[in-house]
Amino acid sequence: MDASWTNPAHVLDVAVRGISAPRPEMLPRFSQELGAVLPHRAAAMQTGDCPRSPFKVTGDTSITGAVTSAELDHLAERAIPGEAVVLDGVLAGTERRLILLTSRPAIGNGAVIALVPSDAEPSVAVLGLAARLWHLTSTDAGQRAVDPGPDVLASNLAAAAARAQTVTDLGQTHAATLVALLAVLRSGRLGDAAARQTATDLAARALLELRAVADRDQALSAESARAAFGVLADQLSPVVGHADVAVDLVAPTDDRQLRQDIAHTARTVTRGLVIAALDRPGTTRIRASWRLDGAALRITVRDDAPDIPDVVLDPGLTERITPLGGSWEVDAVPGWGATITAALPLDTVETPELRPLDRLNAREVEVLSGISQGLRNRQIAAQLQLSEHTVKFHVRNLLEKLEVSSRGEAAALARDLRLDPVAVHRTA
C-alpha cells in the first residue's frame, strides 16, 4: 500500500473529496480516489436510494457498456455488508474476478458496487480500507437521498414518471415476445424434443427474469407506507428517547406503496415538525401521524404547548413540499397547542405555470379575500373560525408567496387579479 494511505490526514482528505462530489459524480469520484490504492478497470453500482438513476457505471467502456442491473442483483446476494468480498462472478456477460463492496447504513437503503480489479488480488488491509471508504460514501449518499433538495425533487418527478413508463413498455414488449416463443416451442411441430425442451426452459427463465425487473424497479423506486414510517421512527428514536416529552408516533393503517421522493420528504417534514414542537416551552406531549387520504399523504403533528407564539415553519420544509405540490394547514390555539398538517399528493402531476393566486392554498385565498375587504386578523379569524395566531401565519405565508411586503399591496393585487370576495364577508 502507498505510504500516504497510512496517513490518517490523507485518508480523511480522500473521504472529504468523495462525499463532496455532486450525486451524479459520486461513483466516478469514488472510483478515481480508490484507484490510487486499488487499481481497477471498471466499477458498476446499484443503489436503493436513487429512484431516478439507481444503476451507474464508470471506467472501461468495453465492460461498462455490457453491464446489466440483473447481474448486480445476483452479485448483491453474495455480498457481505461492511466487507470487501473477492469472488468470481458474471459481470458484462463474462465470468471474471470481482471485488464487491456493500453497505447497509443506518439511514438509506445502501448500495452495492462491483469492481473489476486490474492487478493481482489486493491485500487484506487495502480491502478493509476500501470497504470503510465505501461505507462512508454510501452513508453520505443515503443521507442526501433522505433530505433531497427542491431541485432534485422537481427533476426526480419527471424522471421517475418517464422511467416507470419505459419499464412498463419494455416489459410488455418482452413479455409478448417470450409468450409467443413459448407458444411456438410448445406446439409440438418441432421434431427435436430435446432442443424444444431446452429452448422452453431458457424462455421460461427469461420470463422469470423479466418479472424480476418489475419487482426490482418497485423495490428501488418505492417503499410501503408502514415501512417508510418505521424508518422515521428509527430516525426519531435517539431524538425523543431521552426527552421529557411523551411522543406518540402513529403509523398509517393503509400500507400502499409510496414513491421514494414522497417517503423521503414525508420523513424530513415529520422530523422537522417534531423537533420544532419539542422546542416549544411547556410541551408535554406530541402526536405525529401519517394518514393516506385518497390521493394524498397527510402528515399531522400536534403538541400541547400552552403558550403558543407565532408558529413559524422552517422555510426549508416549505421548499421540500412545494415541488411535490404539497400544502400546509396550521391551527394554533393558545392554551390548547398547535396542530400542523402537511398534505403531499401521491400521484405525479404536471405542474402548470403558476399565476400569483395559484400559489395560494384554499385557506390562504380565504384570508386574502378578507384582507382585500379591509378586515383585520381578528375579524378574519372570527369569520373563518380560526385562531388569530393561525390567521397571522396564513397572512405571513401569502405575503411571501405573492412577493409583496404589506397587506395593502396584497389587497391591491387581489383586486387587480379580480379575486372573488366569496370566502369572507364583512359582518354588519
Side-chain angles (χ1 to χ4, degrees), residues 21-31 42-60 63-73 75 91 110-116 134 137 141-142 144-145 152 156 159 163 220 260:
R23 190 175 180 89
E25 299 175 19
M26 182 187 77
L27 178 62
R29 181 75 60 85
F30 177 82
S31 177
M45 179 188 77
Q46 185 132 283
T47 174
D49 291 322
C50 183
R52 181 180 184 184
S53 182
F55 172 66
K56 298 179 177 67
V57 294
T58 187
D60 186 341
I63 297 175
T64 60
V67 175
T68 68
S69 61
E71 290 174 334
L72 286 176
D73 274 347
L75 291 172
L91 189 70
V112 60
I113 181 173
L115 304 173
V116 181
W134 181 243
T137 302
R144 282 193 272 177
V152 175
N156 276 354
R163 177 167 169 256
L220 292 173
Q260 280 198 350

Side-chain angles (χ1 to χ4, degrees), residues 351-355 358:
T351 304
E353 182 179 355
L354 294 179
R355 298 175 297 124
D358 292 333

